[in-house]
Amino acid sequence: MSYHEATYDEPSIFTFRSGTTYKVPGSVTDSDIDLPQELIRKHLDLPEVSEYDVVRHYTRLSQMNYSVDLGIYPLGSCTMKFNPKYADKIAGMEQFYDVHPLQLASTVQGQLRIMYELQEFLKELSDMDAVTLQPLAGAQGEYTGMLIVRKYFEVKGELNSRTEVIVPDSAHGTNPASAAMAGFNVVEIPSAEDGTVDLEALKAAISEHTAAFMITNPNTLGIFEDHIGEIARLVHEAGALLYYDGANFNGILGITSPGLMGFDIVHFNLHKTFATPHGSGGPGAGPVGVKANLAEFLPVPIIGKDGDKYFLDYSPKHTVGKVSSYMGSFMVLLRAWAYIRFHGSDGLRRNTINAVMNTNYLKKKLENKFKIPYKSLKKHELVLSTENTGKKALDIAKYLIDNGVHAPTIYFPLIVHEAMMIEPTETVSRMDLDRFAEIFLESADVPEEELKKHPVNLPIGRPDDVKAARDLKVRWFPEK
Amino acid sequence: MQSNLEKQEIAKFLNISDEMALFSDIPAQYRKKEIRIQEGVSEYEVLEQARRIASLNSSAGMVNFLGNGIYKRIVPASVDSIIGRSEFLTAYTPYQAEMSQGVLQSLFEYQTFMSELTGMDASNSSMYDGFTTLGEAVRMAHRINERRDILIPENMFDDKLKVINSYLSGLSVRLLTYRVDQVTGFIDLNDIQSKVSKDTSAIVVEMPNSYGIIDENVLKVSQIKGDALLIAYVDPVSLGMLLPPGDYGADIVAAEGQQLGIHMNYGGPGLGILTFRKDYIRKSPGRIIGETVDNKGKKAYVMTLQTREQHIRREKATSNICTNQALMAIASAVYLGVVGPTGLKKIAQTTYVNSRKLKNKLSSLKAAGVPQLTGKPFSDVLIKFRTDVSQLQEFLAEKGINGGVPLQKLAAAPILIRNSAFFTATETTQENETDQLVSIMEVFR
Ligand SMILES: Cc1ncc(COP(=O)(O)O)c(C=O)c1O
């Protein structure tokens, strides 16, 4: 298969001059505006563009963009699975999107029912006891979790001494960032030889100052932390809380759960595990689940049910307050609800099994040429190192994208040199896995100076990142 | 074992006869015994269920006078069409710039739109929503000057305040409120002046303010702020006709961008807009798109200044934000492209005129106490009543109208305006709807 991405030398929207064609109803004039002149805007330098030009411009731009609907998108840690079209259709129902957040509960029983059912689904899948849907992304879920940790120790009168949050060195950057934003000192511990948490390092780090330990399981190497029971015991014996980063839930969903493993707080990435589209960067949704003893700390409102009526529940006694403007990213929640309803208990579990199968299939193919460190059995993703081939992960990534497949996540986790983190997900055929593996293996044999020339089949060659950071041109200006 | 032939081949390749062998590393005591969720259904069935649940909402057919942050505005069909394109909808963050120039250029244009609209030097490529953006703006101000006090207006909505408080936990920062005049509805400049000190990190102003009023005094805050930073929380549509915050001395601007081509969505997803002076760009949170060239000198776009971000700087990052609201940012760029500057101005002016009409009609009701706030509303109209309004929203909802949110439900309601409620107009508000509201309100006591 030969591949070329559409290429347009597309000018900035700010250079278009075709004249606005959009009709805004009404017949106001400047003289209707009886405000002091100093309040009035004198000029607004936006372009006057016809609607047809705006649509053509952004349609052309869209064609210079790889997406899940074009093929495999195996970004590790991102769970780029197929986004089902029935969910688009449901999110396109006016009765759902044409609803104002300040409406009375009695007029939005449909919204509340969706949210209530989603809370119940997430509780069941994670074996947690209460869920808030308010956080707007995974990182905000983490932050919400850290606020809950703070409040928990504040109520216990221990906040002054519980100042530390421990994270493994394989953790995603948002984990330490969220903990620090909530005012904790971050303590990083090294991983053991096999890539899992080093129990000795954990024991050494844990103390009466520990507020929480944040981990994900399977971890960012795609391997299951089989000492999780011991980890939970150590954390709880120290009086601290165990936090689950749910970004990797797709590797275990339906097989085990954070609740069964002893976690106290968990966030879900609905835009990963539950197939809501990632929108070129967002929006996502990051609901948080907690065990019963932490339910009184959840942000408000959560969605309650009384008989057959749904209501906004403000009862959590020690609520952390609010973490976002309204009730959460409803349209994203709605899509996740649809995904869970469609797949059901049988399908969700099947998806996990298939995702893990695909990962191990790729692993077995790729290990012929690449070093795949740590434990051999993988879950949702695998991390290989390109070091043994003498090639840079970056160069191999560019070779892949030049062949019409998206590259894996590169240089993460930080503990693997020249890391490439590959997450195929369940929604990719063996045919596509084979093609991906073939290009990947081929790249190992391409001479380095050849590799450096890629990409050539895309609208641009390799960009100058240093220049971007030095010039800091972050908006369009007219040519002088 | 599955019936899928490809999967059987994979199992064979992996040398496993039981697919559960792939989970042998998960100790038995952690295995989930059952999943108490119904089995899967067909697409037809899930659509039917969704339709049935949607019909439980009674909003279809109700007239809308709700606002206070989220607004029912016209969404051009072109916006839904573009953000529904799967090339934008189903892509991830543009980690591979060469195969993602489309979204990178779109977000670069978004940054230009937002810089122009707010009159600021630079914009990031989106935040979560309005309130969280204001929370991040306050953190950013504290990061810039490391001072203690943040001054906020006393009429700021409770929920906004709660989100700011969440974003401040762990920082040694103090929120101080300044007064808002109960006759004009303008912020009290003398009170601000008396509270500004060498410890003041930032002064937060809202425009229009939380009483919905276009506040003339906001323009004068820069004269009394000393070297504290000025953070403006603005209504982006109002900037079609009102002076942009860059022109009255703002250092950081935060806004909810839902009004720019995004449906109400029950409050989410919306769009957090964050713009600022260029000097502060390295202290700012979130992703920023920059222009550069490729290896052949061709124009190219990339994510830049990533060394501020969590994946590189980890606990020292300017924010934990990773996933943002890119698609909604594209929506607002398409929106501004389609309506253009004259369209946006007309939308703002129509909103202003409609809210004025609404205010005139409602304030002449018997139940409306005189005098009303003298400041002029932009979109949200606060009406004072002689009687208790705590059940007004319920009263109206029974008659098919969404509106009349009591001030007390949203913010502290000082004595002079205790019995007040909000009614919101936009460019979509029809004369006959206003008349219908007024005639229903005739019998409200
Ligand atoms: C392991 C891990 N944790 C947390 C996050 C943060 O999630 P989000 O991007 O939704 O904020 C991500 C996603 O990038 C992740 O991969």
Side-chain angles (χ1 to χ4, degrees), chain A residues 21-226:
Chain A
T21 51
Y22 193 74
K23 294 192 238 176
V24 178
S27 56
V28 286
T29 59
D30 285 358
S31 59
D32 294 321
I33 309 303
D34 52 350
L35 287 168
Q37 270 312 303
E38 69 261 25
L39 279 164
I40 300 297
R41 178 162 206 150
K42 302 301 174 304
H43 59 90
L44 176 56
D45 277 337
L46 304 184
E48 297 275 6
V49 192
S50 63
E51 189 169 7
Y52 53 80
D53 263 347
V54 175
V55 169
R56 286 172 182 154
H57 171 72
Y58 286 107
T59 300
R60 286 191 293 260
L61 288 181
S62 78
Q63 292 185 341
M64 294 197 280
N65 224 42
Y66 190 81
S67 66
V68 161
D69 277 4
L70 283 175
I72 185 171
Y73 209 128
L75 275 174
S77 211
C78 303
T79 317
M80 290 296 281
K81 56 171 84 174
F82 174 66
N83 309 138
K85 301 301 170 189
Y86 55 80
D88 289 352
K89 195 153 179 174
I90 292 170
M93 292 178 183
E94 192 168 2
Q95 279 168 302
F96 282 129
Y97 70 67
D98 207 23
V99 177
H100 194 283
L102 296 180
Q103 277 180 231
L104 294 172
S106 59
T107 70
V108 292
Q109 287 292 298
Q111 314 292 96
L112 298 185
R113 175 161 164 191
I114 293 286
M115 293 170 78
Y116 182 84
E117 289 188 5
L118 182 60
Q119 285 176 187
E120 294 299 305
F121 290 155
L122 295 176
K123 276 155 66 173
E124 174 61 23
L125 292 169
S126 63
D127 291 299
M128 305 305 277
D129 299 312
V131 163
T132 170
L133 303 174
Q134 203 177 109
L136 299 177
Q140 224 208 5
E142 294 167 16
Y143 189 54
T144 305
M146 291 300 107
L147 295 179
I148 291 171
V149 172
R150 273 187 81 89
K151 197 81 185 190
Y152 169 77
F153 286 115
E154 189 184 310
V155 168
K156 279 183 95 180
E158 293 177 26
L159 187 58
N160 289 338
S161 60
R162 298 281 180 178
T163 52
E164 294 174 357
V165 168
I166 305 174
V167 300
D169 56 2
S170 60
H172 191 258
T174 51
N175 292 186
S178 299
M181 245 173 102
F184 292 109
N185 299 324
V186 176
V187 178
E188 198 176 272
I189 58 167
S191 300
E193 296 269 289
D194 66 355
T196 60
V197 170
D198 183 335
L199 288 178
E200 292 313 312
L202 180 62
K203 277 182 204 155
I206 279 189
S207 72
E208 69 278 13
H209 299 303
T210 308
F213 181 41
M214 296 178 91
I215 47 169
T216 174
N217 194 12
N219 66 21
T220 59
L221 296 160
I223 57 189
F224 191 79
E225 298 275 356
D226 48 1

Side-chain angles (χ1 to χ4, degrees), chain B residues 57 151 175 220 248 263 271 333 340 355 408:
Chain B
N57 286 338
L151 269 52
L175 287 177
K220 299 173 193 142
Y248 52 81
H263 295 283
L271 166 66
S355 74
Q408 312 163 43

Side-chain angles (χ1 to χ4, degrees), chain A residues 282-316:
Chain A
V288 167
V290 293
K291 280 287 165 66
N293 63 326
L294 298 174
E296 60 182 354
F297 301 103
L298 287 179
V300 288
I302 48 177
I303 312 304
K305 186 180 181 193
D306 182 11
D308 56 1
K309 287 272 169 278
Y310 300 89
F311 65 99
L312 297 175
D313 181 355
Y314 286 88
S315 69

Side-chain angles (χ1 to χ4, degrees), chain A residues 125-128 244 249 252 256-266 268 291:
Chain A
L125 292 169
S126 63
D127 291 299
M128 305 305 277
Y244 183 75
F249 201 21
I252 55 164
T256 174
S257 74
L260 291 174
M261 292 186 272
F263 285 89
D264 302 294
I265 310 174
V266 37
F268 308 87
K291 280 287 165 66

